Amino acid sequence: RLPMTKLISQDEIEKKTLLILRILKEVREPLGSRLIARRMTETGMTLSERAVRYHLRLLDERGLTRLVDRRDGREITDLGEEELSRARVQDKVGLAISRIENLSFETTFNPGVGGGNLPMNVSFFPERSFKRALAAMKPIFKAGLSVSDLVAVAYEGDYLGNLVVPRGQVGFATVCSIVVNGFLLKRGVPMDSKFGGILEMDQGRPVRFIELIHYSGSSLDPSEVFIMGKMTAVSRTVQTGKGLILANFREIPGASRPLVEELIRELKASGIGGVLALGGVGEHLCQIPLEINKVGIILLGGLNPVAGAYEAGIGVENRAMSTVIDYRRLRNYWEVLRET
């Protein structure tokens, strides 16, 4: 009997090639087939090195990747990045919520031992502008509009989590609000991530959301969209108490509220905050209606300090909720500011 031949659809081929492009874009440095195959396995798609090399040749022919050299491997081209941004819209829907769920699971931070992984946002600043960016972020950190004062800094060619800092850039990582999701998850409290938005503040207090993007229907992190759209006024909020900041809306079961209050205090004692408001059971919070027996939570956007730097005219490229970094590798922002 002849062995059965597995037919591979064009749709499946496209999924694999787009995953290769996505890996090359996220890593931002040349990779060989072995490392690409390993990273594909981490996402749940298994492909042999030989098969990866085959797909890379096809991508080369289309001008989407290029061979740097046989030792270093390939990198994505501008055309490849354009293709990645346009292709397979159906694969992108819900990408934001899946990243939140994955990072929540990967969060292993334990305040009791002062260790474990924290979810991070990574921002890339031009090296010549980094000192000015740090200075612009100072009042925002001082006002407590960040999730934490803990940050990480890396320079050209170094890693922040699984991201490599590009040439001529400085990488700046801030703690992501997903840390609250992950910490509560490990303590048995499920959290439903609803949307990211622009929150109006008055006299330093949250009033209402004026813009929002639901995670379940978005392929992009809402904070990235709002920052690049120049929709924030974080610095003005610090100066006058009235303005627009990045914030996120979550829901938890009503019965878990007393436990969540304790866990929030535990996080805060370890230098991690981010909880701006905690509602009552079934009560509207900042004009957002809730289901029966649910409690609303408003979390500060981890990129608020970076938004302040962008408002000051400093260019930045953001990779929101992009990686995890061990707590022991993080430093206090104020220490970094003094040294820089």
Side-chain angles (χ1 to χ4, degrees), residues 12-76:
E12 189 174 348
I13 292 173
E14 189 179 358
K15 281 184 180 180
K16 292 173 181 176
T17 55
L18 288 173
L19 179 55
I20 292 171
L21 289 175
R22 190 171 294 120
I23 289 169
L24 290 174
K25 181 178 180 181
E26 288 177 352
V27 174
R28 302 182 68 84
E29 69 172 2
L31 285 184
S33 56
R34 179 178 298 179
L35 287 176
I36 292 174
R38 187 181 303 169
R39 287 182 175 268
M40 291 180 76
T41 301
E42 292 172 358
T43 68
M45 182 177 289
T46 303
L47 210 61
S48 68
E49 290 181 44
R50 183 179 178 182
V52 170
R53 285 195 295 270
Y54 167 75
H55 286 289
L56 286 170
R57 284 196 297 271
L58 294 179
L59 289 169
D60 286 348
E61 292 173 4
R62 295 169 60 188
L64 305 180
T65 57
R66 58 171 163 258
L67 181 66
V68 177
D69 59 52
R70 294 193 179 278
R71 180 181 177 182
D72 293 330
R74 286 171 172 83
E75 63 183 7
I76 189 170

Short mmCIF file of all heavy atoms in Angstrom, two decimals, residues 12-76:
data_model
loop_
_atom_site.label_atom_id
_atom_site.label_comp_id
_atom_site.label_asym_id
_atom_site.label_seq_id
_atom_site.Cartn_x
_atom_site.Cartn_y
_atom_site.Cartn_z
N GLU A 12 -2.64 27.07 5.32
CA GLU A 12 -1.69 26.62 6.33
C GLU A 12 -0.29 27.14 6.03
O GLU A 12 0.46 27.53 6.93
CB GLU A 12 -1.69 25.09 6.40
CG GLU A 12 -0.89 24.54 7.57
CD GLU A 12 -1.04 23.04 7.70
OE1 GLU A 12 -1.93 22.46 7.02
OE2 GLU A 12 -0.27 22.43 8.45
N ILE A 13 0.08 27.15 4.75
CA ILE A 13 1.39 27.69 4.35
C ILE A 13 1.49 29.16 4.72
O ILE A 13 2.51 29.63 5.23
CB ILE A 13 1.61 27.49 2.84
CG1 ILE A 13 1.76 26.00 2.51
CG2 ILE A 13 2.85 28.26 2.37
CD1 ILE A 13 1.81 25.70 1.03
N GLU A 14 0.41 29.90 4.47
CA GLU A 14 0.41 31.33 4.76
C GLU A 14 0.56 31.57 6.26
O GLU A 14 1.27 32.48 6.69
CB GLU A 14 -0.88 31.98 4.26
CG GLU A 14 -0.85 33.50 4.34
CD GLU A 14 -2.13 34.12 3.81
OE1 GLU A 14 -3.02 33.37 3.36
OE2 GLU A 14 -2.25 35.35 3.88
N LYS A 15 -0.10 30.74 7.08
CA LYS A 15 0.03 30.88 8.52
C LYS A 15 1.48 30.73 8.96
O LYS A 15 1.99 31.49 9.79
CB LYS A 15 -0.83 29.83 9.24
CG LYS A 15 -2.30 30.14 9.31
CD LYS A 15 -3.01 29.08 10.11
CE LYS A 15 -4.51 29.38 10.21
NZ LYS A 15 -5.22 28.34 11.01
N LYS A 16 2.17 29.73 8.38
CA LYS A 16 3.56 29.46 8.77
C LYS A 16 4.47 30.59 8.33
O LYS A 16 5.34 31.03 9.10
CB LYS A 16 4.01 28.13 8.16
CG LYS A 16 3.31 26.92 8.75
CD LYS A 16 3.66 25.65 8.01
CE LYS A 16 2.93 24.45 8.61
NZ LYS A 16 3.17 23.21 7.84
N THR A 17 4.30 31.07 7.11
CA THR A 17 5.19 32.13 6.63
C THR A 17 4.96 33.42 7.40
O THR A 17 5.92 34.15 7.71
CB THR A 17 4.98 32.38 5.13
OG1 THR A 17 3.60 32.65 4.87
CG2 THR A 17 5.40 31.18 4.31
N LEU A 18 3.71 33.71 7.76
CA LEU A 18 3.44 34.93 8.53
C LEU A 18 3.98 34.83 9.95
O LEU A 18 4.43 35.82 10.52
CB LEU A 18 1.94 35.21 8.56
CG LEU A 18 1.34 35.71 7.24
CD1 LEU A 18 -0.17 35.80 7.33
CD2 LEU A 18 1.92 37.06 6.85
N LEU A 19 3.96 33.61 10.51
CA LEU A 19 4.53 33.42 11.84
C LEU A 19 6.04 33.65 11.80
O LEU A 19 6.61 34.27 12.71
CB LEU A 19 4.22 32.02 12.36
CG LEU A 19 4.78 31.68 13.75
CD1 LEU A 19 4.33 32.71 14.79
CD2 LEU A 19 4.36 30.28 14.17
N ILE A 20 6.69 33.19 10.74
CA ILE A 20 8.13 33.43 10.58
C ILE A 20 8.41 34.92 10.50
O ILE A 20 9.32 35.44 11.15
CB ILE A 20 8.67 32.70 9.33
CG1 ILE A 20 8.63 31.18 9.54
CG2 ILE A 20 10.10 33.15 9.01
CD1 ILE A 20 8.94 30.38 8.30
N LEU A 21 7.62 35.65 9.72
CA LEU A 21 7.78 37.09 9.60
C LEU A 21 7.56 37.78 10.96
O LEU A 21 8.30 38.70 11.34
CB LEU A 21 6.81 37.67 8.57
CG LEU A 21 7.09 37.35 7.10
CD1 LEU A 21 5.98 37.90 6.22
CD2 LEU A 21 8.44 37.93 6.67
N ARG A 22 6.55 37.32 11.68
CA ARG A 22 6.25 37.93 12.98
C ARG A 22 7.40 37.71 13.96
O ARG A 22 7.77 38.62 14.72
CB ARG A 22 4.96 37.33 13.55
CG ARG A 22 4.44 38.06 14.78
CD ARG A 22 3.06 37.58 15.17
NE ARG A 22 2.08 37.93 14.16
CZ ARG A 22 1.34 37.05 13.49
NH1 ARG A 22 1.47 35.77 13.73
NH2 ARG A 22 0.48 37.46 12.60
N ILE A 23 7.99 36.53 13.94
CA ILE A 23 9.13 36.23 14.82
C ILE A 23 10.31 37.13 14.48
O ILE A 23 10.95 37.71 15.37
CB ILE A 23 9.52 34.74 14.71
CG1 ILE A 23 8.45 33.87 15.36
CG2 ILE A 23 10.88 34.47 15.36
CD1 ILE A 23 8.60 32.39 15.08
N LEU A 24 10.60 37.27 13.19
CA LEU A 24 11.72 38.12 12.77
C LEU A 24 11.49 39.58 13.15
O LEU A 24 12.43 40.30 13.53
CB LEU A 24 11.95 37.99 11.27
CG LEU A 24 12.52 36.66 10.78
CD1 LEU A 24 12.55 36.61 9.27
CD2 LEU A 24 13.93 36.44 11.34
N LYS A 25 10.25 40.02 13.07
CA LYS A 25 9.96 41.41 13.41
C LYS A 25 10.09 41.64 14.91
O LYS A 25 10.64 42.66 15.35
CB LYS A 25 8.54 41.78 12.95
CG LYS A 25 8.21 43.25 13.27
CD LYS A 25 6.83 43.63 12.78
CE LYS A 25 6.53 45.09 13.13
NZ LYS A 25 5.19 45.53 12.69
N GLU A 26 9.60 40.71 15.72
CA GLU A 26 9.63 40.88 17.18
C GLU A 26 11.05 40.84 17.71
O GLU A 26 11.42 41.60 18.60
CB GLU A 26 8.78 39.81 17.85
CG GLU A 26 7.28 40.01 17.65
CD GLU A 26 6.46 38.90 18.26
OE1 GLU A 26 7.06 37.89 18.71
OE2 GLU A 26 5.23 39.02 18.29
N VAL A 27 11.88 39.95 17.14
CA VAL A 27 13.25 39.80 17.63
C VAL A 27 14.12 40.95 17.15
O VAL A 27 15.04 41.40 17.84
CB VAL A 27 13.84 38.45 17.17
CG1 VAL A 27 15.30 38.34 17.54
CG2 VAL A 27 13.07 37.31 17.81
N ARG A 28 13.84 41.44 15.94
CA ARG A 28 14.53 42.61 15.38
C ARG A 28 16.04 42.39 15.20
O ARG A 28 16.84 43.30 15.34
CB ARG A 28 14.28 43.85 16.25
CG ARG A 28 12.82 44.19 16.41
CD ARG A 28 12.66 45.46 17.24
NE ARG A 28 13.15 46.61 16.51
CZ ARG A 28 12.45 47.31 15.62
NH1 ARG A 28 11.22 46.95 15.34
NH2 ARG A 28 12.99 48.36 15.02
N GLU A 29 16.42 41.16 14.93
CA GLU A 29 17.81 40.85 14.58
C GLU A 29 17.79 39.60 13.70
O GLU A 29 16.82 38.84 13.69
CB GLU A 29 18.66 40.62 15.81
CG GLU A 29 18.33 39.35 16.57
CD GLU A 29 19.34 39.06 17.67
OE1 GLU A 29 20.27 39.86 17.86
OE2 GLU A 29 19.19 38.02 18.32
N PRO A 30 18.86 39.36 12.90
CA PRO A 30 18.88 38.18 12.04
C PRO A 30 18.78 36.88 12.85
O PRO A 30 19.38 36.77 13.92
CB PRO A 30 20.24 38.28 11.34
CG PRO A 30 20.61 39.73 11.42
CD PRO A 30 20.06 40.21 12.72
N LEU A 31 18.01 35.94 12.34
CA LEU A 31 17.86 34.63 12.98
C LEU A 31 18.07 33.53 11.95
O LEU A 31 17.71 33.67 10.79
CB LEU A 31 16.46 34.47 13.59
CG LEU A 31 16.13 35.21 14.89
CD1 LEU A 31 14.72 34.82 15.34
CD2 LEU A 31 17.13 34.89 15.98
N GLY A 32 18.64 32.42 12.42
CA GLY A 32 18.79 31.23 11.58
C GLY A 32 17.59 30.32 11.71
O GLY A 32 16.73 30.51 12.57
N SER A 33 17.53 29.31 10.86
CA SER A 33 16.38 28.41 10.83
C SER A 33 16.19 27.65 12.14
O SER A 33 15.07 27.36 12.55
CB SER A 33 16.52 27.41 9.67
OG SER A 33 17.74 26.69 9.78
N ARG A 34 17.30 27.34 12.83
CA ARG A 34 17.18 26.60 14.08
C ARG A 34 16.44 27.41 15.15
O ARG A 34 15.52 26.92 15.81
CB ARG A 34 18.56 26.21 14.60
CG ARG A 34 18.54 25.45 15.94
CD ARG A 34 19.93 25.04 16.38
NE ARG A 34 20.54 24.14 15.40
CZ ARG A 34 21.77 23.63 15.51
NH1 ARG A 34 22.52 23.99 16.55
NH2 ARG A 34 22.26 22.83 14.60
N LEU A 35 16.84 28.67 15.31
CA LEU A 35 16.19 29.52 16.31
C LEU A 35 14.75 29.83 15.93
O LEU A 35 13.86 29.91 16.79
CB LEU A 35 16.98 30.81 16.50
CG LEU A 35 18.31 30.68 17.25
CD1 LEU A 35 19.04 32.02 17.27
CD2 LEU A 35 18.09 30.17 18.66
N ILE A 36 14.51 30.01 14.64
CA ILE A 36 13.14 30.27 14.19
C ILE A 36 12.25 29.07 14.49
O ILE A 36 11.13 29.21 14.99
CB ILE A 36 13.10 30.62 12.69
CG1 ILE A 36 13.79 31.97 12.45
CG2 ILE A 36 11.66 30.67 12.17
CD1 ILE A 36 13.93 32.33 10.99
N ALA A 37 12.76 27.88 14.19
CA ALA A 37 11.99 26.65 14.45
C ALA A 37 11.69 26.51 15.94
O ALA A 37 10.58 26.11 16.34
CB ALA A 37 12.77 25.43 13.96
N ARG A 38 12.65 26.87 16.79
CA ARG A 38 12.46 26.78 18.24
C ARG A 38 11.38 27.75 18.70
O ARG A 38 10.52 27.40 19.51
CB ARG A 38 13.77 27.08 18.95
CG ARG A 38 13.73 26.85 20.46
CD ARG A 38 15.06 27.20 21.08
NE ARG A 38 16.14 26.43 20.48
CZ ARG A 38 17.43 26.68 20.68
NH1 ARG A 38 17.78 27.72 21.44
NH2 ARG A 38 18.35 25.93 20.12
N ARG A 39 11.42 28.98 18.18
CA ARG A 39 10.41 29.96 18.57
C ARG A 39 9.03 29.60 18.05
O ARG A 39 8.02 29.88 18.70
CB ARG A 39 10.82 31.36 18.10
CG ARG A 39 11.97 31.94 18.91
CD ARG A 39 12.32 33.34 18.44
NE ARG A 39 13.32 33.93 19.30
CZ ARG A 39 13.07 34.67 20.36
NH1 ARG A 39 11.82 34.91 20.71
NH2 ARG A 39 14.04 35.18 21.09
N MET A 40 8.97 28.98 16.88
CA MET A 40 7.67 28.54 16.36
C MET A 40 7.08 27.46 17.26
O MET A 40 5.88 27.44 17.51
CB MET A 40 7.83 28.02 14.92
CG MET A 40 8.16 29.11 13.92
SD MET A 40 8.33 28.48 12.22
CE MET A 40 6.61 28.24 11.76
N THR A 41 7.93 26.57 17.76
CA THR A 41 7.46 25.52 18.67
C THR A 41 6.88 26.12 19.94
O THR A 41 5.88 25.63 20.47
CB THR A 41 8.62 24.57 19.03
OG1 THR A 41 9.14 24.00 17.83
CG2 THR A 41 8.16 23.45 19.95
N GLU A 42 7.48 27.21 20.42
CA GLU A 42 6.99 27.87 21.62
C GLU A 42 5.58 28.43 21.43
O GLU A 42 4.84 28.60 22.40
CB GLU A 42 7.94 29.00 22.03
CG GLU A 42 9.31 28.50 22.51
CD GLU A 42 10.30 29.63 22.71
OE1 GLU A 42 9.93 30.80 22.43
OE2 GLU A 42 11.43 29.35 23.12
N THR A 43 5.21 28.74 20.18
CA THR A 43 3.87 29.26 19.91
C THR A 43 2.87 28.14 19.61
O THR A 43 1.70 28.41 19.36
CB THR A 43 3.90 30.23 18.70
OG1 THR A 43 4.20 29.49 17.51
CG2 THR A 43 4.92 31.32 18.92
N GLY A 44 3.35 26.90 19.60
CA GLY A 44 2.46 25.77 19.35
C GLY A 44 2.47 25.26 17.93
O GLY A 44 1.72 24.36 17.58
N MET A 45 3.33 25.80 17.07
CA MET A 45 3.42 25.33 15.69
C MET A 45 4.79 24.68 15.48
O MET A 45 5.82 25.36 15.55
CB MET A 45 3.23 26.49 14.71
CG MET A 45 3.26 26.04 13.24
SD MET A 45 2.97 27.39 12.07
CE MET A 45 1.22 27.70 12.34
N THR A 46 4.81 23.39 15.23
CA THR A 46 6.06 22.65 15.07
C THR A 46 6.44 22.55 13.60
O THR A 46 5.64 22.13 12.76
CB THR A 46 5.93 21.23 15.66
OG1 THR A 46 5.56 21.33 17.04
CG2 THR A 46 7.25 20.48 15.55
N LEU A 47 7.67 22.97 13.31
CA LEU A 47 8.19 22.92 11.94
C LEU A 47 9.68 22.57 12.02
O LEU A 47 10.40 23.12 12.85
CB LEU A 47 8.00 24.28 11.25
CG LEU A 47 7.79 24.30 9.73
CD1 LEU A 47 6.55 23.53 9.37
CD2 LEU A 47 7.69 25.73 9.22
N SER A 48 10.12 21.66 11.17
CA SER A 48 11.52 21.26 11.19
C SER A 48 12.41 22.38 10.63
O SER A 48 11.94 23.28 9.93
CB SER A 48 11.72 19.99 10.35
OG SER A 48 11.50 20.28 8.98
N GLU A 49 13.70 22.31 10.96
CA GLU A 49 14.64 23.31 10.43
C GLU A 49 14.64 23.31 8.91
O GLU A 49 14.71 24.36 8.27
CB GLU A 49 16.05 23.04 10.95
CG GLU A 49 16.23 23.31 12.43
CD GLU A 49 17.65 23.04 12.85
OE1 GLU A 49 18.59 23.44 12.12
OE2 GLU A 49 17.85 22.39 13.90
N ARG A 50 14.56 22.11 8.35
CA ARG A 50 14.56 22.00 6.89
C ARG A 50 13.34 22.70 6.29
O ARG A 50 13.45 23.41 5.28
CB ARG A 50 14.57 20.52 6.49
CG ARG A 50 14.63 20.28 4.99
CD ARG A 50 14.67 18.80 4.70
NE ARG A 50 14.68 18.55 3.26
CZ ARG A 50 14.67 17.34 2.72
NH1 ARG A 50 14.67 16.26 3.50
NH2 ARG A 50 14.67 17.19 1.41
N ALA A 51 12.19 22.50 6.93
CA ALA A 51 10.96 23.14 6.44
C ALA A 51 11.04 24.66 6.59
O ALA A 51 10.57 25.41 5.73
CB ALA A 51 9.75 22.60 7.19
N VAL A 52 11.64 25.12 7.70
CA VAL A 52 11.80 26.57 7.91
C VAL A 52 12.68 27.15 6.81
O VAL A 52 12.38 28.22 6.26
CB VAL A 52 12.40 26.86 9.30
CG1 VAL A 52 12.79 28.33 9.42
CG2 VAL A 52 11.40 26.50 10.40
N ARG A 53 13.77 26.44 6.47
CA ARG A 53 14.66 26.93 5.40
C ARG A 53 13.93 27.03 4.08
O ARG A 53 14.14 27.97 3.30
CB ARG A 53 15.88 25.99 5.27
CG ARG A 53 16.89 26.15 6.39
CD ARG A 53 18.22 25.49 6.02
NE ARG A 53 18.09 24.05 5.89
CZ ARG A 53 18.26 23.18 6.89
NH1 ARG A 53 18.56 23.64 8.10
NH2 ARG A 53 18.13 21.89 6.69
N TYR A 54 13.04 26.08 3.82
CA TYR A 54 12.23 26.10 2.59
C TYR A 54 11.35 27.35 2.55
O TYR A 54 11.32 28.07 1.53
CB TYR A 54 11.37 24.84 2.51
CG TYR A 54 10.29 24.89 1.46
CD1 TYR A 54 10.60 24.74 0.10
CD2 TYR A 54 8.96 25.11 1.81
CE1 TYR A 54 9.61 24.81 -0.87
CE2 TYR A 54 7.96 25.16 0.85
CZ TYR A 54 8.29 25.02 -0.49
OH TYR A 54 7.31 25.08 -1.44
N HIS A 55 10.67 27.63 3.66
CA HIS A 55 9.79 28.80 3.71
C HIS A 55 10.60 30.10 3.61
O HIS A 55 10.15 31.08 3.01
CB HIS A 55 8.96 28.79 4.99
CG HIS A 55 7.85 27.78 4.97
ND1 HIS A 55 6.74 27.93 4.19
CD2 HIS A 55 7.68 26.61 5.63
CE1 HIS A 55 5.92 26.89 4.37
NE2 HIS A 55 6.48 26.08 5.25
N LEU A 56 11.79 30.11 4.21
CA LEU A 56 12.64 31.30 4.14
C LEU A 56 13.08 31.61 2.70
O LEU A 56 13.14 32.76 2.29
CB LEU A 56 13.86 31.13 5.04
CG LEU A 56 13.59 31.26 6.55
CD1 LEU A 56 14.81 30.83 7.35
CD2 LEU A 56 13.19 32.68 6.92
N ARG A 57 13.37 30.55 1.94
CA ARG A 57 13.74 30.76 0.52
C ARG A 57 12.59 31.38 -0.24
O ARG A 57 12.79 32.27 -1.09
CB ARG A 57 14.17 29.44 -0.11
CG ARG A 57 15.57 28.98 0.29
CD ARG A 57 16.09 27.92 -0.64
NE ARG A 57 15.29 26.70 -0.61
CZ ARG A 57 15.49 25.69 0.22
NH1 ARG A 57 16.48 25.76 1.11
NH2 ARG A 57 14.73 24.62 0.19
N LEU A 58 11.38 30.91 0.04
CA LEU A 58 10.20 31.49 -0.62
C LEU A 58 10.01 32.96 -0.23
O LEU A 58 9.68 33.80 -1.07
CB LEU A 58 8.94 30.69 -0.24
CG LEU A 58 8.86 29.24 -0.73
CD1 LEU A 58 7.56 28.59 -0.25
CD2 LEU A 58 8.94 29.17 -2.25
N LEU A 59 10.26 33.25 1.04
CA LEU A 59 10.13 34.64 1.50
C LEU A 59 11.21 35.52 0.88
O LEU A 59 10.95 36.69 0.55
CB LEU A 59 10.21 34.69 3.03
CG LEU A 59 9.00 34.10 3.78
CD1 LEU A 59 9.31 33.96 5.27
CD2 LEU A 59 7.77 34.97 3.58
N ASP A 60 12.41 34.97 0.72
CA ASP A 60 13.48 35.72 0.04
C ASP A 60 13.08 36.08 -1.38
O ASP A 60 13.30 37.21 -1.84
CB ASP A 60 14.77 34.88 0.00
CG ASP A 60 15.46 34.81 1.36
OD1 ASP A 60 15.07 35.58 2.26
OD2 ASP A 60 16.37 33.97 1.52
N GLU A 61 12.51 35.10 -2.09
CA GLU A 61 12.10 35.32 -3.49
C GLU A 61 11.04 36.41 -3.60
O GLU A 61 10.99 37.15 -4.59
CB GLU A 61 11.58 34.02 -4.09
CG GLU A 61 12.66 32.95 -4.27
CD GLU A 61 12.07 31.62 -4.71
OE1 GLU A 61 10.84 31.56 -4.94
OE2 GLU A 61 12.83 30.64 -4.84
N ARG A 62 10.21 36.54 -2.57
CA ARG A 62 9.15 37.56 -2.58
C ARG A 62 9.64 38.90 -2.05
O ARG A 62 8.89 39.88 -2.03
CB ARG A 62 7.96 37.08 -1.74
CG ARG A 62 7.26 35.85 -2.30
CD ARG A 62 6.27 35.26 -1.32
NE ARG A 62 5.21 36.21 -0.97
CZ ARG A 62 4.31 35.97 -0.01
NH1 ARG A 62 4.34 34.84 0.67
NH2 ARG A 62 3.38 36.87 0.26
N GLY A 63 10.90 38.93 -1.60
CA GLY A 63 11.46 40.17 -1.09
C GLY A 63 11.01 40.52 0.32
O GLY A 63 11.19 41.66 0.77
N LEU A 64 10.45 39.53 1.04
CA LEU A 64 9.93 39.79 2.39
C LEU A 64 11.00 39.57 3.46
O LEU A 64 10.88 40.10 4.57
CB LEU A 64 8.72 38.89 2.67
CG LEU A 64 7.57 38.99 1.64
CD1 LEU A 64 6.44 38.06 2.03
CD2 LEU A 64 7.08 40.42 1.53
N THR A 65 12.02 38.78 3.13
CA THR A 65 13.17 38.59 4.02
C THR A 65 14.43 38.68 3.19
O THR A 65 14.39 38.60 1.95
CB THR A 65 13.13 37.22 4.72
OG1 THR A 65 13.08 36.18 3.74
CG2 THR A 65 11.93 37.10 5.65
N ARG A 66 15.57 38.83 3.86
CA ARG A 66 16.85 38.82 3.15
C ARG A 66 17.89 38.11 3.99
O ARG A 66 17.87 38.20 5.24
CB ARG A 66 17.31 40.23 2.79
CG ARG A 66 17.48 41.17 3.95
CD ARG A 66 18.14 42.49 3.56
NE ARG A 66 17.91 43.51 4.58
CZ ARG A 66 17.02 44.49 4.48
NH1 ARG A 66 16.27 44.59 3.40
NH2 ARG A 66 16.87 45.36 5.46
N LEU A 67 18.82 37.47 3.32
CA LEU A 67 19.90 36.76 3.99
C LEU A 67 21.00 37.75 4.35
O LEU A 67 21.58 38.40 3.47
CB LEU A 67 20.45 35.66 3.07
CG LEU A 67 21.58 34.80 3.65
CD1 LEU A 67 21.07 33.97 4.81
CD2 LEU A 67 22.15 33.89 2.55
N VAL A 68 21.27 37.89 5.65
CA VAL A 68 22.34 38.78 6.09
C VAL A 68 23.69 38.10 5.81
O VAL A 68 24.57 38.66 5.16
CB VAL A 68 22.20 39.11 7.58
CG1 VAL A 68 23.36 39.98 8.06
CG2 VAL A 68 20.87 39.82 7.83
N ASP A 69 23.84 36.91 6.33
CA ASP A 69 24.93 36.00 5.95
C ASP A 69 24.58 34.63 6.51
O ASP A 69 23.67 34.48 7.32
CB ASP A 69 26.31 36.48 6.45
CG ASP A 69 26.37 36.64 7.96
OD1 ASP A 69 26.02 35.68 8.66
OD2 ASP A 69 26.78 37.71 8.42
N ARG A 70 25.30 33.62 6.07
CA ARG A 70 24.93 32.24 6.43
C ARG A 70 25.09 31.97 7.93
O ARG A 70 24.48 31.07 8.47
CB ARG A 70 25.76 31.25 5.62
CG ARG A 70 25.45 31.31 4.14
CD ARG A 70 26.03 30.12 3.39
NE ARG A 70 25.69 30.18 1.97
CZ ARG A 70 24.53 29.77 1.48
NH1 ARG A 70 23.62 29.27 2.29
NH2 ARG A 70 24.29 29.86 0.19
N ARG A 71 25.92 32.75 8.57
CA ARG A 71 26.13 32.55 10.01
C ARG A 71 25.00 33.17 10.84
O ARG A 71 24.50 32.56 11.77
CB ARG A 71 27.47 33.16 10.41
CG ARG A 71 27.78 33.00 11.89
CD ARG A 71 29.12 33.65 12.22
NE ARG A 71 29.39 33.58 13.64
CZ ARG A 71 30.46 34.08 14.22
NH1 ARG A 71 31.38 34.72 13.48
NH2 ARG A 71 30.65 33.99 15.51
N ASP A 72 24.62 34.41 10.49
CA ASP A 72 23.63 35.13 11.28
C ASP A 72 22.19 34.82 10.88
O ASP A 72 21.27 34.94 11.69
CB ASP A 72 23.85 36.64 11.18
CG ASP A 72 25.16 37.06 11.83
OD1 ASP A 72 25.57 36.38 12.79
OD2 ASP A 72 25.76 38.05 11.38
N GLY A 73 21.98 34.46 9.62
CA GLY A 73 20.62 34.14 9.19
C GLY A 73 19.95 35.28 8.46
O GLY A 73 20.60 36.10 7.82
N ARG A 74 18.62 35.35 8.62
CA ARG A 74 17.83 36.32 7.85
C ARG A 74 17.18 37.35 8.74
O ARG A 74 16.97 37.15 9.93
CB ARG A 74 16.75 35.57 7.05
CG ARG A 74 17.30 34.82 5.85
CD ARG A 74 16.20 33.96 5.26
NE ARG A 74 16.61 33.36 4.00
CZ ARG A 74 17.33 32.25 3.91
NH1 ARG A 74 17.74 31.65 5.02
NH2 ARG A 74 17.65 31.75 2.73
N GLU A 75 16.79 38.46 8.09
CA GLU A 75 16.04 39.50 8.76
C GLU A 75 14.86 39.89 7.88
O GLU A 75 14.86 39.67 6.67
CB GLU A 75 16.92 40.72 9.03
CG GLU A 75 17.47 41.40 7.79
CD GLU A 75 18.39 42.57 8.11
OE1 GLU A 75 18.71 42.76 9.30
OE2 GLU A 75 18.79 43.26 7.15
N ILE A 76 13.87 40.48 8.50
CA ILE A 76 12.68 40.91 7.77
C ILE A 76 12.97 42.22 7.05
O ILE A 76 13.71 43.08 7.54
CB ILE A 76 11.47 41.06 8.73
CG1 ILE A 76 10.17 41.30 7.94
CG2 ILE A 76 11.71 42.17 9.74
CD1 ILE A 76 8.92 41.21 8.81
#
